[in-house]
mmCIF file of all heavy atoms in Angstrom:
data_model
loop_
_atom_site.group_PDB
_atom_site.id
_atom_site.type_symbol
_atom_site.label_atom_id
_atom_site.label_comp_id
_atom_site.label_asym_id
_atom_site.label_seq_id
_atom_site.Cartn_x
_atom_site.Cartn_y
_atom_site.Cartn_z
ATOM 1 N N THR O 53 35.250 115.718 82.295
ATOM 2 C CA THR O 53 34.055 116.031 81.493
ATOM 3 C C THR O 53 32.759 115.889 82.290
ATOM 4 O O THR O 53 31.749 116.485 81.934
ATOM 5 C CB THR O 53 33.988 115.087 80.284
ATOM 6 O OG1 THR O 53 34.235 113.767 80.754
ATOM 7 C CG2 THR O 53 35.040 115.440 79.267
ATOM 8 N N ASP O 56 28.536 111.965 83.540
ATOM 9 C CA ASP O 56 27.508 111.092 84.122
ATOM 10 C C ASP O 56 26.064 111.622 84.012
ATOM 11 O O ASP O 56 25.136 110.871 83.739
ATOM 12 C CB ASP O 56 27.826 110.835 85.597
ATOM 13 C CG ASP O 56 28.998 109.883 85.715
ATOM 14 O OD1 ASP O 56 29.566 109.520 84.652
ATOM 15 O OD2 ASP O 56 29.353 109.510 86.849
ATOM 16 N N HIS O 58 24.899 113.791 81.818
ATOM 17 C CA HIS O 58 24.560 114.406 80.526
ATOM 18 C C HIS O 58 23.294 113.818 79.917
ATOM 19 O O HIS O 58 22.530 114.538 79.277
ATOM 20 C CB HIS O 58 25.749 114.286 79.548
ATOM 21 C CG HIS O 58 26.861 115.208 79.919
ATOM 22 N ND1 HIS O 58 28.121 115.137 79.372
ATOM 23 C CD2 HIS O 58 26.910 116.242 80.801
ATOM 24 C CE1 HIS O 58 28.882 116.069 79.914
ATOM 25 N NE2 HIS O 58 28.150 116.752 80.800
ATOM 26 N N TRP O 60 20.746 112.856 81.402
ATOM 27 C CA TRP O 60 19.619 113.563 82.022
ATOM 28 C C TRP O 60 19.463 114.946 81.417
ATOM 29 O O TRP O 60 18.357 115.397 81.118
ATOM 30 C CB TRP O 60 19.897 113.650 83.538
ATOM 31 C CG TRP O 60 18.706 114.152 84.313
ATOM 32 C CD1 TRP O 60 17.670 113.448 84.783
ATOM 33 C CD2 TRP O 60 18.465 115.514 84.643
ATOM 34 N NE1 TRP O 60 16.758 114.229 85.410
ATOM 35 C CE2 TRP O 60 17.247 115.559 85.321
ATOM 36 C CE3 TRP O 60 19.151 116.719 84.405
ATOM 37 C CZ2 TRP O 60 16.674 116.733 85.815
ATOM 38 C CZ3 TRP O 60 18.565 117.883 84.908
ATOM 39 C CH2 TRP O 60 17.367 117.880 85.597
ATOM 40 N N GLN O 64 16.244 116.141 79.513
ATOM 41 C CA GLN O 64 15.475 117.281 80.026
ATOM 42 C C GLN O 64 15.089 118.249 78.894
ATOM 43 O O GLN O 64 14.094 118.951 78.967
ATOM 44 C CB GLN O 64 16.319 118.009 81.081
ATOM 45 C CG GLN O 64 15.528 118.823 82.083
ATOM 46 C CD GLN O 64 14.547 117.995 82.913
ATOM 47 O OE1 GLN O 64 14.659 116.790 83.057
ATOM 48 N NE2 GLN O 64 13.498 118.634 83.415
ATOM 49 N N GLU O 68 11.525 119.954 78.558
ATOM 50 C CA GLU O 68 11.267 121.400 78.558
ATOM 51 C C GLU O 68 10.477 121.783 77.288
ATOM 52 O O GLU O 68 9.584 122.639 77.333
ATOM 53 C CB GLU O 68 12.590 122.193 78.619
ATOM 54 C CG GLU O 68 13.514 121.868 79.783
ATOM 55 C CD GLU O 68 12.884 122.101 81.162
ATOM 56 O OE1 GLU O 68 11.743 122.573 81.256
ATOM 57 O OE2 GLU O 68 13.582 121.765 82.172
ATOM 58 N N ASP O 101 11.064 130.334 78.109
ATOM 59 C CA ASP O 101 12.379 130.797 78.602
ATOM 60 C C ASP O 101 13.181 129.630 79.143
ATOM 61 O O ASP O 101 14.401 129.517 78.906
ATOM 62 C CB ASP O 101 12.170 131.840 79.713
ATOM 63 C CG ASP O 101 11.733 133.201 79.148
ATOM 64 O OD1 ASP O 101 11.789 133.345 77.891
ATOM 65 O OD2 ASP O 101 11.375 134.082 79.947
ATOM 66 N N TYR O 104 14.316 127.619 76.299
ATOM 67 C CA TYR O 104 15.405 128.377 75.643
ATOM 68 C C TYR O 104 16.723 128.194 76.396
ATOM 69 O O TYR O 104 17.777 127.903 75.831
ATOM 70 C CB TYR O 104 15.014 129.867 75.607
ATOM 71 C CG TYR O 104 16.006 130.765 74.931
ATOM 72 C CD1 TYR O 104 15.923 131.022 73.547
ATOM 73 C CD2 TYR O 104 17.018 131.387 75.670
ATOM 74 C CE1 TYR O 104 16.828 131.860 72.941
ATOM 75 C CE2 TYR O 104 17.936 132.218 75.064
ATOM 76 C CZ TYR O 104 17.834 132.467 73.683
ATOM 77 O OH TYR O 104 18.744 133.325 73.089
ATOM 78 N N SER O 105 16.631 128.378 77.700
ATOM 79 C CA SER O 105 17.866 128.247 78.489
ATOM 80 C C SER O 105 18.409 126.814 78.419
ATOM 81 O O SER O 105 19.614 126.569 78.394
ATOM 82 C CB SER O 105 17.621 128.653 79.948
ATOM 83 O OG SER O 105 16.997 127.613 80.667
ATOM 84 N N THR O 109 22.072 125.481 77.421
ATOM 85 C CA THR O 109 22.806 124.629 78.341
ATOM 86 C C THR O 109 23.279 123.370 77.635
ATOM 87 O O THR O 109 24.461 123.001 77.684
ATOM 88 C CB THR O 109 21.914 124.233 79.534
ATOM 89 O OG1 THR O 109 21.487 125.408 80.201
ATOM 90 C CG2 THR O 109 22.650 123.322 80.485
ATOM 91 N N SER O 112 25.923 123.957 75.121
ATOM 92 C CA SER O 112 27.221 124.166 75.764
ATOM 93 C C SER O 112 27.844 122.840 76.209
ATOM 94 O O SER O 112 29.035 122.592 76.011
ATOM 95 C CB SER O 112 27.024 125.096 76.966
ATOM 96 O OG SER O 112 28.208 125.226 77.657
ATOM 97 N N VAL O 113 26.961 121.999 76.804
ATOM 98 C CA VAL O 113 27.455 120.699 77.258
ATOM 99 C C VAL O 113 27.932 119.865 76.059
ATOM 100 O O VAL O 113 29.008 119.250 76.087
ATOM 101 C CB VAL O 113 26.362 119.954 78.056
ATOM 102 C CG1 VAL O 113 26.769 118.496 78.300
ATOM 103 C CG2 VAL O 113 26.103 120.647 79.362
ATOM 104 N N LYS O 115 28.969 120.783 73.275
ATOM 105 C CA LYS O 115 30.207 121.299 72.661
ATOM 106 C C LYS O 115 31.435 120.604 73.274
ATOM 107 O O LYS O 115 32.418 120.302 72.607
ATOM 108 C CB LYS O 115 30.303 122.818 72.895
ATOM 109 C CG LYS O 115 31.177 123.517 71.879
ATOM 110 C CD LYS O 115 31.009 125.024 72.017
ATOM 111 C CE LYS O 115 31.763 125.752 70.910
ATOM 112 N NZ LYS O 115 31.541 127.211 71.055
ATOM 113 N N ASP O 142 8.978 137.814 71.742
ATOM 114 C CA ASP O 142 9.320 139.103 72.346
ATOM 115 C C ASP O 142 8.616 140.239 71.595
ATOM 116 O O ASP O 142 8.285 141.261 72.187
ATOM 117 C CB ASP O 142 10.844 139.326 72.319
ATOM 118 C CG ASP O 142 11.558 138.415 73.325
ATOM 119 O OD1 ASP O 142 10.853 137.779 74.155
ATOM 120 O OD2 ASP O 142 12.820 138.309 73.279
ATOM 121 N N GLN N 67 30.259 123.712 83.365
ATOM 122 C CA GLN N 67 30.139 122.857 82.184
ATOM 123 C C GLN N 67 28.853 123.159 81.399
ATOM 124 O O GLN N 67 28.652 122.606 80.331
ATOM 125 C CB GLN N 67 30.163 121.395 82.614
ATOM 126 C CG GLN N 67 29.113 121.043 83.629
ATOM 127 C CD GLN N 67 29.159 119.552 83.939
ATOM 128 O OE1 GLN N 67 29.406 118.752 83.068
ATOM 129 N NE2 GLN N 67 28.876 119.202 85.173
ATOM 130 N N TRP N 68 28.047 124.058 81.978
ATOM 131 C CA TRP N 68 26.791 124.386 81.276
ATOM 132 C C TRP N 68 26.887 125.693 80.538
ATOM 133 O O TRP N 68 25.952 126.123 79.921
ATOM 134 C CB TRP N 68 25.636 124.467 82.299
ATOM 135 C CG TRP N 68 25.577 123.242 83.204
ATOM 136 C CD1 TRP N 68 25.117 122.035 82.865
ATOM 137 C CD2 TRP N 68 26.015 123.185 84.546
ATOM 138 N NE1 TRP N 68 25.215 121.171 83.904
ATOM 139 C CE2 TRP N 68 25.781 121.867 84.985
ATOM 140 C CE3 TRP N 68 26.570 124.102 85.448
ATOM 141 C CZ2 TRP N 68 26.078 121.448 86.270
ATOM 142 C CZ3 TRP N 68 26.830 123.652 86.700
ATOM 143 C CH2 TRP N 68 26.627 122.341 87.116
ATOM 144 N N THR N 69 27.975 126.380 80.714
ATOM 145 C CA THR N 69 28.142 127.674 80.036
ATOM 146 C C THR N 69 29.474 127.701 79.333
ATOM 147 O O THR N 69 30.296 126.803 79.489
ATOM 148 C CB THR N 69 28.114 128.835 81.068
ATOM 149 O OG1 THR N 69 29.115 128.562 82.052
ATOM 150 C CG2 THR N 69 26.760 128.980 81.702
ATOM 151 N N GLU N 70 29.660 128.784 78.571
ATOM 152 C CA GLU N 70 30.953 128.922 77.891
ATOM 153 C C GLU N 70 31.728 130.058 78.519
ATOM 154 O O GLU N 70 31.166 131.100 78.839
ATOM 155 C CB GLU N 70 30.734 129.192 76.407
ATOM 156 C CG GLU N 70 30.239 127.967 75.670
ATOM 157 C CD GLU N 70 29.793 128.266 74.226
ATOM 158 O OE1 GLU N 70 30.458 129.073 73.581
ATOM 159 O OE2 GLU N 70 28.806 127.671 73.800
ATOM 160 N N ALA N 102 12.304 126.536 88.654
ATOM 161 C CA ALA N 102 11.088 126.998 88.005
ATOM 162 C C ALA N 102 10.403 125.862 87.249
ATOM 163 O O ALA N 102 9.191 125.821 87.134
ATOM 164 C CB ALA N 102 11.433 128.131 87.028
ATOM 165 N N ASN N 103 11.127 124.933 86.732
ATOM 166 C CA ASN N 103 10.525 123.810 85.999
ATOM 167 C C ASN N 103 10.238 122.638 86.940
ATOM 168 O O ASN N 103 10.167 121.507 86.521
ATOM 169 C CB ASN N 103 11.438 123.362 84.853
ATOM 170 C CG ASN N 103 12.764 122.780 85.358
ATOM 171 O OD1 ASN N 103 13.098 122.959 86.544
ATOM 172 N ND2 ASN N 103 13.473 122.121 84.490
ATOM 173 N N TYR N 105 12.117 121.215 88.895
ATOM 174 C CA TYR N 105 13.275 120.361 89.231
ATOM 175 C C TYR N 105 13.580 120.584 90.695
ATOM 176 O O TYR N 105 13.640 121.715 91.170
ATOM 177 C CB TYR N 105 14.470 120.743 88.354
ATOM 178 C CG TYR N 105 15.761 120.072 88.752
ATOM 179 C CD1 TYR N 105 15.962 118.704 88.450
ATOM 180 C CD2 TYR N 105 16.768 120.776 89.406
ATOM 181 C CE1 TYR N 105 17.156 118.104 88.795
ATOM 182 C CE2 TYR N 105 17.952 120.165 89.757
ATOM 183 C CZ TYR N 105 18.157 118.818 89.447
ATOM 184 O OH TYR N 105 19.327 118.221 89.803
ATOM 185 N N VAL N 132 15.489 134.296 83.004
ATOM 186 C CA VAL N 132 15.260 132.839 82.935
ATOM 187 C C VAL N 132 16.010 132.234 81.767
ATOM 188 O O VAL N 132 16.554 131.140 81.867
ATOM 189 C CB VAL N 132 13.737 132.556 82.830
ATOM 190 C CG1 VAL N 132 13.484 131.047 82.733
ATOM 191 C CG2 VAL N 132 13.016 133.094 84.036
ATOM 192 N N ARG N 133 15.983 132.958 80.635
ATOM 193 C CA ARG N 133 16.685 132.418 79.451
ATOM 194 C C ARG N 133 18.193 132.175 79.720
ATOM 195 O O ARG N 133 18.826 131.365 79.066
ATOM 196 C CB ARG N 133 16.550 133.386 78.266
ATOM 197 C CG ARG N 133 15.124 133.420 77.744
ATOM 198 C CD ARG N 133 15.001 134.257 76.500
ATOM 199 N NE ARG N 133 13.594 134.463 76.197
ATOM 200 C CZ ARG N 133 13.164 135.348 75.301
ATOM 201 N NH1 ARG N 133 14.047 136.085 74.643
ATOM 202 N NH2 ARG N 133 11.871 135.479 75.068
ATOM 203 N N LYS N 135 19.326 131.127 82.671
ATOM 204 C CA LYS N 135 19.311 130.298 83.888
ATOM 205 C C LYS N 135 19.115 131.162 85.132
ATOM 206 O O LYS N 135 19.584 130.841 86.234
ATOM 207 C CB LYS N 135 20.605 129.489 84.048
ATOM 208 C CG LYS N 135 20.904 128.583 82.860
ATOM 209 C CD LYS N 135 22.144 127.769 83.156
ATOM 210 C CE LYS N 135 22.550 126.839 82.034
ATOM 211 N NZ LYS N 135 22.946 127.532 80.787
ATOM 212 N N GLU N 153 29.494 114.822 91.176
ATOM 213 C CA GLU N 153 28.108 114.725 90.711
ATOM 214 C C GLU N 153 27.147 115.395 91.703
ATOM 215 O O GLU N 153 26.189 116.060 91.306
ATOM 216 C CB GLU N 153 27.724 113.249 90.520
ATOM 217 C CG GLU N 153 28.397 112.581 89.332
ATOM 218 C CD GLU N 153 28.012 113.211 87.982
ATOM 219 O OE1 GLU N 153 26.867 113.675 87.837
ATOM 220 O OE2 GLU N 153 28.896 113.267 87.094
ATOM 221 N N TYR N 156 27.318 119.018 91.208
ATOM 222 C CA TYR N 156 26.658 119.387 89.948
ATOM 223 C C TYR N 156 25.128 119.335 90.114
ATOM 224 O O TYR N 156 24.414 120.212 89.651
ATOM 225 C CB TYR N 156 27.108 118.452 88.810
ATOM 226 C CG TYR N 156 28.607 118.558 88.448
ATOM 227 C CD1 TYR N 156 29.330 117.451 88.038
ATOM 228 C CD2 TYR N 156 29.229 119.803 88.505
ATOM 229 C CE1 TYR N 156 30.670 117.546 87.706
ATOM 230 C CE2 TYR N 156 30.564 119.898 88.188
ATOM 231 C CZ TYR N 156 31.293 118.781 87.787
ATOM 232 O OH TYR N 156 32.602 118.888 87.479
ATOM 233 N N TRP N 161 19.616 125.872 88.748
ATOM 234 C CA TRP N 161 19.389 127.231 88.233
ATOM 235 C C TRP N 161 17.911 127.501 88.156
ATOM 236 O O TRP N 161 17.081 126.633 88.384
ATOM 237 C CB TRP N 161 20.122 127.460 86.902
ATOM 238 C CG TRP N 161 19.800 126.483 85.766
ATOM 239 C CD1 TRP N 161 18.690 126.519 84.981
ATOM 240 C CD2 TRP N 161 20.606 125.410 85.342
ATOM 241 N NE1 TRP N 161 18.720 125.539 84.071
ATOM 242 C CE2 TRP N 161 19.917 124.806 84.247
ATOM 243 C CE3 TRP N 161 21.842 124.884 85.746
ATOM 244 C CZ2 TRP N 161 20.414 123.703 83.587
ATOM 245 C CZ3 TRP N 161 22.290 123.816 85.044
ATOM 246 C CH2 TRP N 161 21.607 123.214 83.986
ATOM 247 N N GLN N 162 17.570 128.740 87.875
ATOM 248 C CA GLN N 162 16.167 129.166 87.866
ATOM 249 C C GLN N 162 15.490 128.793 89.192
ATOM 250 O O GLN N 162 14.379 128.275 89.247
ATOM 251 C CB GLN N 162 15.429 128.519 86.661
ATOM 252 C CG GLN N 162 15.996 129.035 85.347
ATOM 253 C CD GLN N 162 15.710 128.130 84.143
ATOM 254 O OE1 GLN N 162 15.347 126.961 84.287
ATOM 255 N NE2 GLN N 162 15.872 128.678 82.956
#
Side-chain angles (χ1 to χ4, degrees):
Chain O
T53 46
D56 287 4
H58 287 168
W60 189 85
Q64 204 61 21
E68 304 301 357
D101 285 350
Y104 182 90
S105 80
T109 301
S112 175
V113 169
K115 203 169 186 178
D142 288 350
Chain N
Q67 56 177 324
W68 309 284
T69 55
E70 288 171 39
N103 65 346
Y105 172 75
V132 179
R133 290 186 191 168
K135 303 184 181 64
E153 289 297 327
Y156 295 146
W161 56 78
Q162 295 159 344

